[in-house]
Structure formats: C-alpha cells, structure tokens
Amino acid sequence: MTTKLIHHPYRPPAGFDAPQVGVHKASTVLFPDVAAMRARDWRHRNGYTYGLHGTPTTFTLEERIATLEGGTHCVLVPSGLAAIALVNMALLKTGDELLLPDNVYGPSRELARREMAAWGITHKLYDPMDPASLAAAIGPATKLVWLEAPGSVTMEFPDLPALVAVCRERGVTTALDNTWGAGLAFCGFDLGIDVVMQALTKYPSGGGDVLMGSVVTRDAELADRIHMTHGRLGYGVGANDAEAMLRSLPSLSLRYHAADVAGRELAAWCATRPEFTRVLHPALAGAPGHEHWKSSCRAAAGLFSVVVAPRFTSAQVDRFVDALQLFGIGYSWAGPMSLVVPYDLKQMRARPAYDGTVVRFSIGLEEVADLKADLEQALAALAG
C-alpha cells in the first residue's frame, strides 16, 4: 500500500487556472528521462533542475519583481541584507574597493567593515549629497558604488542622476537600495543605475511577516555574474514565502500610496510642533534633498524621521516613544501597523548631522486622525 501511495498513477487534468499562482514545493525535481536530466542546466534556466534553483512559483515571482523594478533579470534571496551581500560577492574580488554613502543602511556598512574587509575588499564612505565627494572618492580600485535614496534614518534624498553620471564617466558599476521606492516612486534603471535591490520584506510583503530580498538588472552580463554567485551560495526562498509575496503584490500600489498620503499629512503636522526641530521627509519642502526627490520621484513611502529638540534628554524621548499606543516599537517598516524607533546619531555616524535624538516613524494603514491623536498624547509625556 505504501508503494502505491508514493507511486500513484493519477495525474490531475491540465487546464486548471485561478487568480493565485500555484504553490510548488520541491527540493527534488523529477525528470522524465536521463536525457532530460542531462539537457537541463540550472545556469541557463532552461527548465527545472533542483528546488533551490527555482520552481514555477519562484520563477513567477522573479518575473513580476523584475517588471515592478523595470528590469529584465531577477533573483530572489532570503532577505534584503542577503541581496546586498549577493551583489557585493558577485561583483567584487580581493583588491577591489567598494564605496558607500555615509548615511548607508547600518548592516550594509558593517558587512563592508567586517566580511568584505576580511576578504581583502576595501571600502570608503562618500557624502551622497555632494557628487564632488563621490568623484573624489573613486579610485583605480573602485569597482562598485552603492546608492541609497533616501539615506537610512536621516532620509536625505540625493541627486541620483548626478551621482550616476560620476560613476558612468569613470566606468564604475552602480547598485541602488530601492527598498524605500519599492519600484513605485521611481525607476532606478531609467536613471542609469546598473543593479537594483530591494528588501521585499517591506512594501511588497506588506504584512510584516515575510523576509525576502531581490536583485534586478537589465544587463545580461551582470545578470549572469549575479545568477552564478547566487547558485553557488545556495540562496533560496521558501515556496510559502513566495506564495505570500505573490498574494500581496496586487495591493502593493494601493498600500504604498495610502502610506504616502498618511505619511505626508503626519510629517506636515509634526513640522508644526515645537518639540521637533526638523522633520526629515523627502516630499516635505525644506527637507534635505527635497528638490532632488521632486525631480526624480512620483511618490514617497510612508516613512519619515523627526529631530527632537536638544533640550529633551534621551530618557524623555524614550518616555515619548513608550507612551505611544498605536505605534509599535520595532525595526523594519511598511506593514499595516505603524512603527517607531528612536536613534542616537552619535552612535551611528562619524559626523552626526543633527543635535538631539532622531525618531523614525513608519506609517501603516491606521486612520490618520487616530495616529495624530496618539502622537499628541505622547508628546505630553515628552514634556513631563
């Protein structure tokens, strides 16, 4: 009976279709014969060879993410940070140099300082708000420049076309962390960027419950290098995670734009509060890089930071954050629940841009009036 259950002859009829993509779970992939096994090559995606290298579910998600970003080649990895690591490992070797913006995502900087350095790959930081700083930093060994738009936590929006032009003139490959833009605010490839990664964990997932990243390019040679490294590293994503991502993608634009509208309204309200000396939101007039955002973007994520007046101690800022009732205290963003995290820039940056604690808000899908009331009541705890 066991043998009959394993080798049952029934096959469901062809022609079934439904709005949601089928979920294919596999480590082993079966071949009809030895000739088919020998003919398939995971390096060229001429069919299915092993679950790690793709199933109909993951291939479908890769194609949709490539379309979202405006690219042609995509690979999936287990997280956004894994996507950054994949690009670094695929495109750099011992003796090469990597350039990072000085407001880079913290784990990306630590990856460069630790693992990349241990492999003989050096790095430098440049000021993303000054293309001349990037030009001065590029040397003969520079092979990859990372771009972020906007910068992590402090939300400066750089002049991406100017930065890309500097790299193009010197023949240096560019890679963009487009997690904030989510493929909706702007198209990195239209600005001349070579490789675009995204933490799908954020807006594409939208639920705060799936970890995944993507790397996309339009360049066939770069795609081949990235794909080969991806396969050799054994990166893969689970079928159920791919299913969850595919289910969320159709509502991505609706959720992103809802968070954008709410985020702008709350950022403008925070700008009227005396407790905050700056509101850091690229779409807000006067924010760092606002004009660059305006010229390159058609939308903005529901993410912004405030600089709390220096007269308030870090303990008072912590009381303010603790007093918030609708904002969860936690990392990441872009889920249905609004989130908040306080940051001490002195511990994050060699040259902190602001005095006072920075508090970052990720706006979810709650009613704006309720979030505003929550912020107002918590500000009383800040002053208390």
Side-chain angles (χ1 to χ4, degrees), residues 42 54 108 134 148 182 199 221 233 243 250 266 291 310 314 319 352 371:
W42 70 269
S108 178
L134 174 59
E148 283 198 20
E221 190 274 332
L233 288 172
E243 174 197 19
L266 287 167
E291 293 304 319
S314 59
R319 282 205 302 272
L371 294 175

Side-chain angles (χ1 to χ4, degrees), residues 140-316:
T142 306
K143 295 297 185 291
L144 178 64
V145 171
W146 273 101
L147 309 168
E148 283 198 20
S152 181
V153 181
T154 43
M155 307 296 294
E156 301 92 345
F157 204 96
D159 185 347
L160 288 173
L163 296 176
V164 171
V166 168
C167 296
R168 285 260 168 129
E169 289 169 3
R170 291 157 177 78
V172 178
T173 301
T174 52
L176 169 72
D177 183 336
N178 198 28
T179 302
W180 178 91
L184 297 173
F186 64 97
C187 176
F189 297 112
D190 288 350
L191 299 177
I193 293 162
D194 298 304
V195 179
V196 175
M197 62 73 49
Q198 188 179 159
L200 303 180
T201 305
K202 308 297 196 294
Y203 279 109
S205 163
D209 58 353
V210 178
L211 289 163
M212 196 178 296
S214 61
V215 178
V216 178
T217 184
R218 287 179 177 175
D219 185 291
E221 190 274 332
L222 287 176
D224 188 58
R225 292 171 65 182
I226 291 166
H227 180 60
M228 292 296 289
T229 300
H230 178 270
R232 288 188 289 257
L233 288 172
Y235 273 151
V237 300
N240 289 119
D241 286 346
E243 174 197 19
M245 202 67 67
L246 285 163
R247 184 180 295 173
S248 295
L249 281 181
S251 65
L252 168 62
S253 182
L254 295 173
R255 292 182 282 103
Y256 190 90
H257 291 296
D260 181 1
V261 170
R264 293 196 211 198
E265 182 175 341
L266 287 167
W269 180 83
C270 286
T272 69
R273 298 293 306 201
E275 298 91 346
F276 306 137
T277 60
R278 293 291 302 271
V279 177
L280 309 174
H281 187 306
L284 202 66
H290 170 70
E291 293 304 319
H292 303 318
W293 170 85
K294 192 174 180 181
S295 66
S296 295
C297 294
R298 49 188 176 263
L303 194 71
F304 68 92
S305 296
V306 298
V307 182
V308 182
R311 67 179 182 274
F312 296 107
T313 66
S314 59
Q316 287 176 299

Side-chain angles (χ1 to χ4, degrees), residues 14 27 29 69 91 111 121 149 186 194 238 258 269 292 317-318 330 333 355 367 374:
S27 51
V29 172
E69 293 281 20
L91 304 186
L111 176 66
I121 299 167
F186 64 97
D194 298 304
W269 180 83
H292 303 318
V317 176
D318 287 353
W333 34 275
D355 291 327
E367 297 291 337
D374 192 25

